[in-house]
Amino acid sequence: MLRAAGVGAGDEVVVPAFGNPEVAQAVSLTGALPVFADIDPATYCLDASAVEAAVTSRTAAVLVVHRFGRSAAIAALHQVGQRHGLLVLEQGESETPYSEVGERRQRAAYLSAKLKGVRTPEGGDGHTFQQYVVRVPGNGRPDRDAFARAVRAKGVECGVPVKTPVHRTPGFRRDVCLPETERAADETLALPIGGAMSRRELHRLVSACNALGGLLQPAF
Protein backbone atom coordinates (compact mmCIF):
# COMPACT_ATOMS: atom_id res chain seq x y z
CA MET A 1 0.00 0.00 0.00
CA LEU A 2 2.78 2.41 0.89
CA ARG A 3 4.80 1.62 -2.22
CA ALA A 4 1.75 1.97 -4.43
CA ALA A 5 1.27 5.43 -2.91
CA GLY A 6 4.82 6.37 -3.91
CA VAL A 7 6.28 6.45 -0.40
CA GLY A 8 10.01 5.78 -0.36
CA ALA A 9 13.48 6.86 0.70
CA GLY A 10 13.67 10.30 2.28
CA ASP A 11 10.00 10.31 3.29
CA GLU A 12 8.51 10.20 6.75
CA VAL A 13 5.30 8.38 7.63
CA VAL A 14 3.42 9.12 10.86
CA VAL A 15 2.36 5.90 12.60
CA PRO A 16 1.09 4.84 16.06
CA ALA A 17 3.47 3.33 18.60
CA PHE A 18 0.57 1.66 20.42
CA GLY A 19 0.30 -1.65 18.60
CA ASN A 20 2.40 -4.24 16.84
CA PRO A 21 5.70 -3.33 15.13
CA GLU A 22 4.54 -4.54 11.71
CA VAL A 23 3.27 -1.10 10.70
CA ALA A 24 6.60 0.59 11.44
CA GLN A 25 8.39 -2.31 9.76
CA ALA A 26 6.33 -1.82 6.61
CA VAL A 27 7.32 1.85 6.53
CA SER A 28 10.99 0.94 6.94
CA LEU A 29 10.79 -1.61 4.11
CA THR A 30 9.89 1.21 1.70
CA GLY A 31 13.00 3.12 2.77
CA ALA A 32 10.93 5.74 4.60
CA LEU A 33 11.23 6.68 8.29
CA PRO A 34 8.40 5.84 10.72
CA VAL A 35 7.58 8.79 12.98
CA PHE A 36 5.51 7.99 16.08
CA ALA A 37 2.57 10.11 17.24
CA ASP A 38 0.41 9.75 20.32
CA ILE A 39 -3.04 8.20 20.53
CA ASP A 40 -6.50 9.28 21.60
CA PRO A 41 -7.07 7.63 25.00
CA ALA A 42 -10.67 6.72 24.15
CA THR A 43 -10.13 5.07 20.75
CA TYR A 44 -6.47 3.96 21.11
CA CYS A 45 -5.97 5.24 17.55
CA LEU A 46 -3.84 8.14 16.32
CA ASP A 47 -4.84 11.50 17.73
CA ALA A 48 -5.26 14.15 15.04
CA SER A 49 -3.58 16.96 17.02
CA ALA A 50 -0.64 14.69 17.85
CA VAL A 51 -0.29 13.76 14.19
CA GLU A 52 -0.27 17.42 13.18
CA ALA A 53 2.44 18.14 15.73
CA ALA A 54 4.58 15.35 14.25
CA VAL A 55 4.39 16.62 10.66
CA THR A 56 7.61 17.95 9.10
CA SER A 57 8.62 19.02 5.62
CA ARG A 58 9.51 15.39 4.85
CA THR A 59 6.21 13.86 5.96
CA ALA A 60 4.55 12.08 3.05
CA ALA A 61 1.78 10.08 4.69
CA VAL A 62 -0.11 9.13 7.81
CA LEU A 63 -0.87 5.46 8.43
CA VAL A 64 -3.94 5.10 10.61
CA VAL A 65 -4.63 1.79 12.37
CA HIS A 66 -8.10 1.10 13.75
CA ARG A 67 -8.07 -0.65 17.13
CA PHE A 68 -10.16 -3.18 19.06
CA GLY A 69 -13.22 -2.79 16.83
CA ARG A 70 -13.41 0.99 17.08
CA SER A 71 -12.46 3.37 14.27
CA ALA A 72 -10.10 6.33 14.51
CA ALA A 73 -11.43 9.87 14.12
CA ILE A 74 -10.77 9.58 10.43
CA ALA A 75 -12.49 12.83 9.40
CA ALA A 76 -10.19 14.89 11.65
CA LEU A 77 -7.15 12.96 10.39
CA HIS A 78 -8.14 13.61 6.77
CA GLN A 79 -8.40 17.31 7.58
CA VAL A 80 -4.80 17.21 8.84
CA GLY A 81 -3.81 15.44 5.64
CA GLN A 82 -5.53 18.05 3.49
CA ARG A 83 -3.90 20.95 5.34
CA HIS A 84 -0.42 19.51 4.81
CA GLY A 85 -0.85 17.70 1.49
CA LEU A 86 -0.42 14.23 3.02
CA LEU A 87 -1.78 10.84 2.12
CA VAL A 88 -3.92 9.33 4.86
CA LEU A 89 -3.86 5.55 4.61
CA GLU A 90 -5.92 3.21 6.76
CA GLN A 91 -5.27 -0.26 8.09
CA GLY A 92 -8.18 -2.13 9.60
CA GLU A 93 -8.25 -5.17 11.83
CA SER A 94 -9.60 -8.54 10.81
CA GLU A 95 -13.32 -7.95 11.02
CA THR A 96 -15.60 -9.62 13.53
CA PRO A 97 -18.18 -11.79 11.70
CA TYR A 98 -21.39 -9.81 11.32
CA SER A 99 -23.35 -12.53 13.10
CA GLU A 100 -21.22 -12.01 16.24
CA VAL A 101 -21.30 -8.22 16.42
CA GLY A 102 -24.70 -8.02 18.09
CA GLU A 103 -23.75 -10.62 20.69
CA ARG A 104 -20.47 -8.86 21.44
CA ARG A 105 -22.25 -5.55 21.90
CA GLN A 106 -24.73 -7.15 24.30
CA ARG A 107 -21.93 -8.72 26.33
CA ALA A 108 -20.02 -5.43 26.31
CA ALA A 109 -23.08 -3.58 27.59
CA TYR A 110 -23.50 -6.15 30.39
CA LEU A 111 -19.84 -5.92 31.42
CA SER A 112 -19.80 -2.11 31.29
CA ALA A 113 -22.85 -2.00 33.57
CA LYS A 114 -21.52 -4.52 36.08
CA LEU A 115 -17.74 -4.08 36.31
CA LYS A 116 -16.32 -2.00 39.16
CA GLY A 117 -12.82 -0.79 39.92
CA VAL A 118 -11.75 -0.77 36.27
CA ARG A 119 -12.44 1.77 33.54
CA THR A 120 -14.67 0.25 30.89
CA PRO A 121 -14.38 1.20 27.20
CA GLU A 122 -16.44 3.96 25.67
CA GLY A 123 -18.88 2.48 23.19
CA GLY A 124 -18.65 5.01 20.40
CA ASP A 125 -20.46 4.81 17.09
CA GLY A 126 -19.91 1.55 15.26
CA HIS A 127 -17.83 -0.15 17.96
CA THR A 128 -17.82 -3.89 17.18
CA PHE A 129 -15.88 -4.84 20.33
CA GLN A 130 -13.40 -7.04 18.56
CA GLN A 131 -11.67 -6.80 21.92
CA TYR A 132 -13.19 -5.59 25.18
CA VAL A 133 -10.38 -3.50 26.63
CA VAL A 134 -10.53 -2.06 30.13
CA ARG A 135 -8.04 0.02 32.07
CA VAL A 136 -6.78 -1.04 35.48
CA PRO A 137 -6.04 2.14 37.44
CA GLY A 138 -3.04 2.26 39.72
CA ASN A 139 0.64 3.05 39.66
CA GLY A 140 1.43 1.58 36.26
CA ARG A 141 2.28 -1.84 34.90
CA PRO A 142 2.77 -3.77 38.19
CA ASP A 143 -0.85 -3.09 39.22
CA ARG A 144 -2.34 -4.15 35.87
CA ASP A 145 -0.15 -7.24 35.68
CA ALA A 146 -0.93 -8.28 39.25
CA PHE A 147 -4.62 -7.81 38.51
CA ALA A 148 -4.30 -9.99 35.38
CA ARG A 149 -2.54 -12.75 37.29
CA ALA A 150 -5.20 -12.74 39.98
CA VAL A 151 -8.04 -12.86 37.46
CA ARG A 152 -6.39 -15.76 35.61
CA ALA A 153 -6.01 -17.58 38.92
CA LYS A 154 -9.81 -17.44 39.20
CA GLY A 155 -10.13 -19.20 35.83
CA VAL A 156 -10.77 -16.13 33.65
CA GLU A 157 -8.59 -15.64 30.60
CA CYS A 158 -7.37 -12.15 29.81
CA GLY A 159 -4.53 -10.59 27.86
CA VAL A 160 -2.36 -7.49 27.64
CA PRO A 161 -3.04 -6.05 24.17
CA VAL A 162 0.22 -4.07 23.86
CA LYS A 163 3.02 -5.04 26.22
CA THR A 164 5.67 -2.65 24.87
CA PRO A 165 5.00 0.38 22.65
CA VAL A 166 6.91 0.22 19.38
CA HIS A 167 8.97 3.32 20.16
CA ARG A 168 10.43 1.41 23.16
CA THR A 169 11.49 -1.67 21.17
CA PRO A 170 15.15 -2.10 20.11
CA GLY A 171 14.58 -1.72 16.38
CA PHE A 172 12.54 1.49 16.60
CA ARG A 173 13.66 3.15 19.82
CA ARG A 174 12.92 6.87 19.80
CA ASP A 175 13.30 9.62 22.38
CA VAL A 176 9.76 10.92 21.96
CA CYS A 177 7.09 11.91 24.47
CA LEU A 178 3.93 9.82 23.99
CA PRO A 179 2.16 9.99 27.37
CA GLU A 180 -1.17 8.49 26.28
CA THR A 181 0.59 5.62 24.52
CA GLU A 182 2.70 4.88 27.59
CA ARG A 183 -0.32 5.07 29.89
CA ALA A 184 -2.38 2.78 27.68
CA ALA A 185 0.43 0.21 27.49
CA ASP A 186 0.66 0.21 31.30
CA GLU A 187 -3.06 0.06 32.09
CA THR A 188 -4.96 -1.83 29.36
CA LEU A 189 -6.26 -5.36 29.69
CA ALA A 190 -8.40 -7.28 27.20
CA LEU A 191 -11.18 -9.33 28.80
CA PRO A 192 -12.91 -12.23 26.99
CA ILE A 193 -16.06 -11.32 25.09
CA GLY A 194 -16.16 -13.49 21.96
CA GLY A 195 -17.12 -17.02 21.11
CA ALA A 196 -20.08 -18.69 22.78
CA MET A 197 -19.73 -17.18 26.25
CA SER A 198 -22.66 -18.01 28.47
CA ARG A 199 -24.33 -15.67 30.95
CA ARG A 200 -22.78 -17.76 33.69
CA GLU A 201 -19.27 -17.21 32.27
CA LEU A 202 -19.92 -13.46 32.06
CA HIS A 203 -21.08 -13.48 35.68
CA ARG A 204 -17.92 -15.34 36.73
CA LEU A 205 -15.82 -12.77 34.85
CA VAL A 206 -17.57 -9.89 36.61
CA SER A 207 -17.24 -11.55 40.03
CA ALA A 208 -13.52 -12.24 39.50
CA CYS A 209 -12.78 -8.67 38.43
CA ASN A 210 -14.96 -6.94 41.01
CA ALA A 211 -13.34 -8.88 43.83
CA LEU A 212 -10.05 -7.22 42.86
CA GLY A 213 -10.86 -3.97 41.11
CA GLY A 214 -12.13 -2.16 44.16
CA LEU A 215 -8.74 -2.64 45.85
CA LEU A 216 -6.88 -0.59 43.25
CA GLN A 217 -6.78 3.16 43.53
CA PRO A 218 -5.93 5.50 40.65
CA ALA A 219 -2.54 7.20 40.75
CA PHE A 220 -2.47 10.98 41.12
Side-chain angles (χ1 to χ4, degrees), residues 42-63:
T43 66
Y44 301 105
C45 305
L46 282 173
D47 177 77
S49 60
V51 168
E52 190 149 33
V55 171
T56 72
S57 60
R58 295 193 297 173
T59 306
V62 179
L63 186 45

Side-chain angles (χ1 to χ4, degrees), residues 74-217:
I74 200 64
L77 289 161
H78 274 296
Q79 289 175 359
V80 173
Q82 290 170 359
R83 282 197 292 272
H84 298 277
L86 309 175
L87 293 167
V88 178
L89 308 174
E90 299 178 58
Q91 183 189 49
E93 302 171 297
S94 57
E95 294 186 3
T96 302
Y98 182 77
S99 60
E100 291 185 18
V101 171
E103 293 178 358
R104 285 174 179 262
R105 286 175 174 160
Q106 288 177 357
R107 292 169 187 155
Y110 176 81
L111 292 177
S112 293
K114 298 292 186 180
L115 287 172
K116 300 175 182 177
V118 298
R119 275 189 285 159
T120 56
E122 296 180 18
D125 294 339
H127 201 324
T128 62
F129 291 99
Q130 184 160 351
Q131 292 190 67
Y132 184 83
V133 178
V134 300
R135 288 183 182 244
V136 180
N139 295 317
R141 187 169 298 163
D143 291 335
R144 187 273 317 278
D145 290 350
F147 183 91
R149 286 192 298 271
V151 169
R152 292 189 191 109
K154 293 177 179 287
V156 175
E157 289 301 317
C158 59
V160 176
V162 177
K163 294 182 178 180
T164 305
V166 183
H167 72 295
R168 296 299 185 210
T169 61
F172 295 101
R173 193 173 296 279
R174 302 280 192 280
D175 184 15
V176 59
C177 181
L178 304 176
E180 294 298 343
T181 296
E182 300 277 5
R183 192 172 294 115
D186 283 346
E187 294 180 349
T188 51
L189 188 68
L191 300 177
I193 198 174
M197 289 185 71
S198 66
R199 191 79 168 187
R200 184 173 183 174
E201 288 172 320
L202 284 172
H203 180 72
R204 185 174 67 175
L205 166 59
V206 169
S207 296
C209 290
N210 286 358
L212 300 163
L215 302 177
L216 297 175
Q217 300 298 321

